[in-house]
Amino acid sequence: MRSRFGILVAVVILLSLQGFSQGRVKVMSYNLLNFNNYPSYCTAENNSHEAKAGYLATIVANQQPDILCCCEVGGKNPSLAYSISYILGNSLNVNGVTRWKAANASGNTYLNNALFFDQTKFVLIAQTKLDTDIREINIYKLKHLTSRDTLKVAIVHLKAGTECAADRGTEIQQLMNYLTTQGNNDNFIVCGDFNVYRASEPAFQYLVNPSYLPIAFYDPINQMGEWNNNWSFSEYHTQSTRSGDGGNDCFSGGGMDDRFDFILMSSSIINGTKGITYCQDSYWAVGQDGNRFNGSISSPTNNTLPSNVIDALYNMSDHLPVVAELAFGDVGYASENTEAGFQSIVQNPVNNELVVRLRTEKQRDVDVSVYSSLGRLMHSYSVQVADDEVIVRDVSDLSNGVYIVSIKSEGVSVSHRVVKVE
């Protein structure tokens, strides 16, 4: 006879897997390149918002995001509210689709941020802004209608230019100061056009290595380094879609050689501690196949998407959109850390490798142990962590099921529940 405990474990696994496969939401972050904004070099002839609306409709129809975060939405011709309404009516709620709604227009400059969301999945319960000397940082709070979990989204468009790293840092400092006053950044993403050239820039470091560690953000794909004009990061570059301007001065040329666009996530999302979990391997610069270094998104032939979508990416913007998927619904994957100066993140579910990321403000010895649901010790490791370490261990010998990953160090004792699947 099958034991009641065995049935319970099977149910836990089933519910855990369902929690990961159901309630998935796709977030897209996209710089729309002077949408309905017409400076001297971007005109109604070379960057018509009517034509761009059609290109955006093609991209959205192909990718099917549920949350769309936009930069460079025009606010002067005649207003930001007009631009947002135009996108809703000509790019999103088209061909019988009625699910899209927009947050309130915020900003009255020539370039603004805007948020669109699927109103059958979310309700907007709050929005605010942080005024910087450059541009607004817009913050939105969405409630998921099924799970009732809340997701906070900050859209940033930092100052462009190699000489403006300090200005970008000042902008992000204001965001981090705001989060410090909030006490945490639970279920929070920061997305947009960061205009950073390398991970060592102040703006990026304030996000991923803040002085107050509980508000740190994480790159879901963990690709840190010198992104600018570096072939090693060609799979992640988001700008520029054109190797030359093609006679269109509105678009930056030079080909794909910068990683300007990001979706960064709080530890609660990476770790799944607050009901929302990042879906592994869902992060993508749309249309990027790693074969575009210093080249166009469309040449040589790009087979990642249908040709009409590739053409739309080429014509819509000199940036690629970035997408990532989140799973909503608390399946109890992990517990909270017990010390502000230490964080542990366990990739979940687990396949044949256990991946643990450890971050600490001081050097320490850490013990990592894996226990079965019956309390039997299956694996144990001891590591010395100085700053930010990723530990990968082979657990292919473990059967499918629920396991507890215990992490202990001086002043720290935290447990993560994980599901092992093949």
Side-chain angles (χ1 to χ4, degrees):
M1 178 182 293
R2 190 176 184 184
S3 70
R4 292 178 62 189
F5 180 81
I7 294 173
L8 177 61
V9 169
V11 170
V12 169
I13 295 171
L14 178 60
L15 291 177
S16 299
L17 295 178
Q18 285 179 340
F20 234 78
S21 61
Q22 297 177 357
R24 286 175 73 119
V25 165
K26 180 182 280 191
V27 179
M28 175 183 284
S29 179
Y30 202 2
N31 181 321
L32 302 186
L33 181 63
N34 282 295
F35 187 95
N36 194 36
N37 178 60
Y38 295 115
S40 60
Y41 54 91
C42 276
T43 67
E45 287 70 37
N46 68 11
N47 197 45
S48 160
H49 71 276
E50 290 93 346
K52 288 166 74 73
Y55 299 135
L56 182 59
T58 297
I59 296 163
V60 168
N62 174 265
Q63 286 298 298
Q64 292 291 307
D66 303 290
I67 299 172
L68 175 61
C69 309
C70 297
C71 300
E72 295 206 14
V73 181
K76 296 290 188 182
N77 186 35
S79 67
L80 177 58
Y82 169 83
S83 297
I84 290 173
S85 178
Y86 198 91
I87 291 171
L88 272 175
N90 295 274
S91 300
L92 303 178
N93 288 328
V94 296
N95 300 320
V97 173
T98 60
R99 65 188 178 98
W100 286 98
K101 188 174 182 179
N104 295 329
S106 180
N108 234 351
T109 63
Y110 64 98
L111 291 178
N112 305 276
N113 302 321
L115 178 81
F116 305 88
F117 59 93
D118 183 342
Q119 61 184 330
T120 70
K121 296 183 179 181
F122 291 97
V123 61
L124 178 67
I125 57 177
Q127 71 178 82
T128 189
K129 64 176 183 175
L130 303 178
D131 291 311
T132 78
D133 291 336
I134 313 300
R135 299 186 184 97
E136 282 186 8
I137 295 175
N138 300 97
I139 302 173
Y140 309 88
K141 188 175 183 180
L142 296 164
K143 178 178 284 188
H144 190 245
L145 294 175
T146 302
S147 70
R148 313 305 291 176
D149 292 310
T150 56
L151 173 69
K152 284 156 279 188
V153 180
I155 305 178
V156 303
H157 183 196
L158 305 183
K159 190 170 183 178
T162 55
E163 73 283 3
C164 296
D167 291 324
R168 291 190 285 273
T170 299
E171 290 179 88
I172 291 299
Q173 271 186 318
Q174 290 187 237
L175 173 62
M176 303 310 281
N177 290 342
Y178 167 81
L179 292 174
T180 299
T181 64
Q182 302 299 301
N184 64 69
N185 65 349
D186 291 342
N187 288 347
F188 209 115
I189 64 174
V190 179
C191 60
D193 178 3
F194 290 17
N195 275 312
V196 292
Y197 293 89
R198 55 195 61 84
S200 59
E201 275 201 29
F204 202 80
Q205 284 300 301
Y206 291 147
L207 287 163
V208 301
N209 287 311
S211 56
Y212 182 52
L213 192 57
I215 61 170
F217 288 92
Y218 294 81
D219 178 9
I221 52 177
N222 196 29
Q223 293 296 323
M224 303 296 184
E226 181 91 16
W227 302 304
N228 172 247
N229 203 31
N230 187 340
W231 176 86
S232 299
F233 294 100
S234 56
E235 188 177 347
Y236 312 105
H237 287 151
T238 63
Q239 207 258 3
S240 169
T241 56
R242 301 179 177 217
S243 55
D245 63 21
N248 187 337
D249 293 337
C250 184
F251 288 70
S252 296
M256 305 299 300
D257 59 5
D258 278 302
R259 188 187 180 197
F260 284 161
D261 305 88
F262 294 84
I263 302 175
L264 300 185
M265 304 177 186
S266 61
S267 64
S268 60
I269 294 178
I270 296 292
N271 208 11
T273 60
K274 299 289 184 180
I276 304 174
T277 309
Y278 167 64
C279 300
Q280 294 295 324
D281 301 322
S282 66
Y283 192 102
W284 187 36
V286 178
Q288 180 59 271
D289 58 4
N291 299 318
R292 309 285 130 193
F293 184 62
N294 284 331
S296 156
I297 193 63
S298 58
S299 180
T301 301
N302 189 330
N303 295 315
T304 62
L305 296 167
S307 59
N308 68 315
V309 182
I310 296 298
D311 289 342
L313 290 169
Y314 180 87
N315 288 297
M316 176 67 207
S317 175
D318 52 13
H319 292 250
L320 292 179
V322 177
V323 296
E325 294 185 33
L326 307 176
F328 282 71
D330 189 356
V331 290
Y333 281 135
S335 60
E336 290 297 307
N337 294 329
T338 57
E339 184 180 275
F342 180 86
Q343 285 189 334
S344 57
I345 295 176
V346 180
Q347 181 175 307
N348 193 43
V350 176
N351 297 118
N352 289 324
E353 290 182 332
L354 176 68
V355 181
V356 180
R357 183 174 183 177
L358 303 173
R359 298 184 68 176
T360 179
E361 292 179 348
K362 64 180 181 180
Q363 182 171 302
R364 62 171 75 231
D365 294 321
V366 180
D367 295 321
V368 180
S369 303
V370 180
Y371 294 91
S372 72
S373 54
L374 293 175
R376 178 185 173 191
L377 179 63
M378 309 301 293
H379 290 275
S380 63
Y381 322 102
S382 294
V383 295
Q384 189 174 79
V385 182
D387 181 25
D388 190 340
E389 302 282 346
V390 177
I391 297 105
V392 181
R393 293 291 186 270
D394 182 9
V395 291
S396 57
D397 61 310
L398 298 181
S399 303
N400 288 355
V402 178
Y403 294 87
I404 302 299
V405 179
S406 172
I407 297 172
K408 293 185 177 181
S409 184
E410 179 185 355
V412 173
S413 179
V414 59
S415 298
H416 302 263
R417 177 184 291 179
V418 300
V419 178
K420 168 68 165 56
V421 296
E422 290 183 355

